[in-house]
Amino acid sequence: VETYKITAKDDKHLVWMTVAGLVVPIIAFVILGFVLNSPVIWGLLGVSVGALVAMLLFAWRARRAVYTRYEGKAGSAEVALQMLPKGWISTPVITATRQFDAVHRTLGQGGLILIGEGDPGRLKALLASEKKKHEQVADGVSVVTIQMGKGAGQVPLDQLAKHIKKLPKQLTPAKVGEVNQRLRALDAMRPKAPIPKGPINMKGARSAMRGR
């Protein structure tokens, strides 16, 4: 219910898309049932298929609405990091500038990833500095940098999680845990970032991102 309330504020077509996803398969299967002289059986199957399609459509629209709501806001990369599967250890806003350029980090079997969001010119130097610091403590693990955005060579917010999940596996779970301990030591020496961690503070937004 909370997910629906939040999504409906940004997606005026949510109700009609969900209802269509439910009704269209039911009608199609009932018609097929009459053709095959088994309307009841095919009608029940249509209800099941319609419910599934409606749920999938609702989850898709909910995720898209969350991306739309937070795109361009400081700390918005956390939205995408929440979509990564279990096993990824994400730390939003490990460092930031007073202009709200920020670097986020995630660690998993796909490697050690630094994600920058903000002005491309300022991010280049900021990411290079962070990459050097992380390479010094990452015990030989390569550090991948990504700039989030819609420009050339950047990854859009709504594609970020998918981009990271496609990275080839190169670390074992044990290695991930070892590197994470080293990163905690690095973080302990940092000054507090000048912006709050994460843009999400409303009930239902996290479940919407996971399609629940």
Side-chain angles (χ1 to χ4, degrees), residues 18-211:
T18 305
V19 171
L22 173 64
V23 173
V24 171
I26 293 177
I27 294 175
F29 275 80
V30 168
I31 293 174
L32 180 61
F34 277 108
V35 172
L36 299 176
N37 295 319
S38 301
V40 175
I41 295 177
W42 284 95
L44 292 175
L45 181 60
V47 171
S48 300
V49 173
L52 177 61
V53 172
M55 290 174 61
L56 292 174
L57 280 172
F58 176 76
W60 170 61
R61 303 289 292 198
R63 286 194 297 268
R64 195 177 74 163
V66 173
Y67 283 131
T68 300
R69 187 179 311 121
Y70 291 106
E71 187 171 12
K73 294 184 179 180
S76 61
E78 183 184 356
V79 172
L81 295 181
Q82 291 176 14
M83 291 296 293
L84 293 176
K86 184 178 179 181
W88 284 90
I89 304 171
S90 299
T91 308
V93 196
I94 57 174
T95 189
T97 68
R98 296 193 180 278
Q99 293 81 20
F100 291 170
D101 307 302
V103 175
H104 313 269
R105 182 182 67 220
T106 190
L107 171 67
Q109 289 184 282
L112 176 54
I113 320 297
L114 298 178
I115 304 103
E117 60 170 306
D119 178 79
R122 293 191 297 263
L123 277 179
K124 185 176 181 180
L126 188 61
L127 281 170
S129 175
E130 285 301 318
K131 181 178 181 179
K132 184 176 180 180
K133 292 177 184 178
H134 281 72
E135 286 176 339
Q136 291 174 347
V137 301
D139 192 26
V141 175
S142 60
V143 180
V144 177
T145 60
I146 298 173
Q147 276 202 26
M148 194 182 75
K150 294 185 176 180
Q154 296 181 324
V155 180
L157 172 63
D158 60 353
Q159 297 296 317
L160 182 59
K162 184 184 298 185
H163 180 86
I164 293 174
K165 286 188 286 187
K166 286 183 177 180
L167 294 173
K169 292 183 178 181
Q170 54 179 307
L171 302 179
T172 63
K175 187 64 174 180
V176 169
E178 178 186 334
V179 174
N180 187 47
Q181 291 298 322
R182 293 173 175 267
L183 296 178
R184 287 182 179 179
L186 174 64
D187 291 341
M189 299 184 292
R190 293 179 180 277
K192 187 176 181 180
I195 62 176
K197 286 191 175 183
I200 297 179
N201 55 16
M202 63 175 67
K203 186 178 180 181
R206 295 179 186 273
S207 58
M209 287 305 301
R210 299 180 186 278

